[in-house]
C-alpha cells in the first residue's frame, strides 16, 4: 500500500500540469512571490500526485 493514498477522482495528466508550471515560471520571469509562489506550490503538489498516479497505472515511460 502506498504511504500517501492517491486522491480519488480525476487527476490531470502530469504533462499538462508540468506545462502549466513552466508557463507560470516563464510569465513571472523566473521569480515567484506571493500568489504566484502559492500557485506554484499547489501545481507542484498536483504534479507529484499525477506522476504517482501515472506510475501506479504504468503510464509513465522512462526516458532512454
Amino acid at each position: 500500500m502506498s504511504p500517501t493514498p492517491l486522491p480519488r477522482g480525476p487527476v490531470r495528466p502530469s504533462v499538462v500540469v508540468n506545462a502549466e508550471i513552466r508557463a507560470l515560471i516563464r510569465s513571472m520571469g523566473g521569480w515567484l512571490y506571493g500568489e504566484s509562489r502559492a500557485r506554484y506550490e499547489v501545481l507542484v503538489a498536483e504534479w507529484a500526485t499525477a506522476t504517482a498516479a501515472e506510475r501506479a497505472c504504468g503510464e509513465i515511460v522512462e526516458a532512454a
Side-chain angles (χ1 to χ4, degrees):
M1 184 166 177
S2 174
T4 305
L6 298 175
R8 297 178 194 260
V11 176
R12 294 193 302 164
S14 63
V15 295
V16 171
V17 180
N18 188 35
E20 196 170 329
I21 291 169
R22 290 173 180 265
L24 174 64
I25 292 171
R26 229 176 291 125
S27 73
M28 299 303 294
W31 299 96
L32 301 172
Y33 297 103
E35 290 181 24
S36 63
R37 180 64 186 194
R39 178 68 181 144
Y40 170 79
E41 290 174 5
V42 168
L43 287 170
V44 169
E46 182 182 357
W47 175 84
T49 300
T51 301
E54 291 168 4
R55 286 184 194 274
C57 294
E59 295 177 14
I60 292 182
V61 177
E62 296 294 327

